[in-house]
Amino acid sequence: STRMFSLFVLFILCFIFNCSFALDADERDALRSLQRSFVPPFLWPADTEPSCEWTGVVCDTNSSVIRVQLTWPRAQPRPFPHALGMLTSLRHLVLKNNVIGGTLPTSVLDKLDKLELLDVSGNPTLKGTLPALPASLTSLRASDCAFFGVVPSEINEHGRLKELFLDGSRLRGTVPTRVANIANLRLFPGNRGVEHPTNPDFDETLRIDYSQVQKASHCKDQPMK
């Protein structure tokens, strides 16, 4: 019976190992597609090195990719990488200071239902209207992009956003209340056509963060983390 128990334990370990390996292989293929979406592609090691050890990639204990952070300013303007939609365990996506162009595709964002942080700041060729965001998202950093149109209330439809940086774009219209109430909100400088819902006489040319003014009246300033 001892031998049978040992074989059973070995079977379980092999099963777990194979599942983890297969999962890593699937996500490695997605990372390779992501690599090829940049021209010229950035440098990652050969497949002989575990993808969880590649620069800018963080995995959890199950070898699932939970964070990708890439900055490759040498690349030519390219659309938002659709390969990211294959990384369904992703929680943090940081693509700041690149040359990503086009729009933020909902076809990709809809698949990232665990995403908490999306940072696309410093991509001046990233434009279009702001799309609906994953319900899991708590932080969108999109400073110094080229978004236009109104700020949709749907961007905080689920009320979970705690941080929203949209300064440096070309947005207009009155900011919806559910967006104006976000704790850490940046709309200026830029967005010269934007108005605050509770202060129509607010002069945006002062280039201040109105949400910070509101908080300052109630408590001392806290350093940003």
Side-chain angles (χ1 to χ4, degrees):
S1 59
T2 301
R3 182 178 180 183
M4 290 295 295
F5 178 77
S6 299
L7 289 174
F8 175 75
V9 171
L10 181 62
F11 172 79
I12 294 297
L13 291 174
C14 289
F15 177 78
I16 294 174
F17 174 79
N18 287 335
C19 284
S20 298
F21 179 81
L23 180 61
D24 182 67
D26 291 341
E27 297 207 331
R28 185 173 61 244
D29 290 343
L31 290 172
R32 286 298 185 200
S33 296
L34 172 61
Q35 181 185 25
R36 291 190 296 269
S37 69
F38 286 81
V39 179
F42 49 86
L43 301 178
W44 265 340
D47 288 341
T48 52
E49 183 173 329
S51 54
C52 291
E53 297 179 7
W54 294 354
T55 300
V57 178
V58 177
C59 298
D60 61 13
T61 55
N62 295 318
S63 299
S64 297
V65 177
I66 59 173
R67 180 182 176 91
V68 171
Q69 180 169 349
L70 300 173
T71 298
W72 192 241
R74 291 176 48 197
Q76 302 171 12
R78 302 284 289 180
F80 192 89
H82 283 259
L84 290 167
M86 302 168 65
L87 302 176
T88 55
S89 296
L90 203 60
R91 296 179 186 174
H92 295 170
L93 176 58
V94 181
L95 297 174
K96 62 181 179 180
N97 299 328
N98 285 293
V99 283
I100 297 172
T103 62
L104 284 176
T106 55
S107 59
V108 175
L109 296 179
D110 287 347
K111 298 175 183 177
L112 303 179
D113 57 3
K114 296 181 178 64
L115 193 65
E116 299 171 1
L117 166 66
L118 175 59
D119 189 343
V120 291
S121 300
N123 285 281
T125 54
L126 187 61
K127 56 187 178 180
T129 57
L130 292 167
L133 300 174
S136 55
L137 202 70
T138 59
S139 176
L140 172 61
R141 301 173 185 172
S143 302
D144 300 319
C145 295
F147 295 110
F148 54 79
V150 300
V151 180
S153 60
E154 291 79 13
I155 201 170
N156 194 30
E157 180 178 4
H158 303 280
R160 295 181 181 174
L161 273 181
K162 299 178 181 178
E163 187 175 64
L164 179 61
F165 297 171
L166 295 173
D167 48 306
S169 278
R170 298 175 300 185
L171 300 167
R172 57 178 172 79
T174 301
V175 179
T177 302
R178 67 171 59 175
V179 175
N181 290 335
I182 292 173
N184 195 1
L185 175 66
R186 292 185 187 176
L187 292 174
F188 309 117
N191 301 312
R192 300 185 65 87
V194 164
E195 296 180 358
H196 195 276
T198 60
N199 188 2
D201 297 324
F202 174 61
D203 184 2
E204 68 86 21
T205 60
L206 294 175
R207 297 189 175 188
I208 59 177
D209 184 339
Y210 191 77
S211 67
Q212 301 303 318
V213 173
Q214 287 181 310
K215 291 192 293 184
S217 64
H218 300 287
C219 61
K220 295 181 179 180
D221 290 337
Q222 299 292 326
M224 289 186 65
K225 297 181 179 179

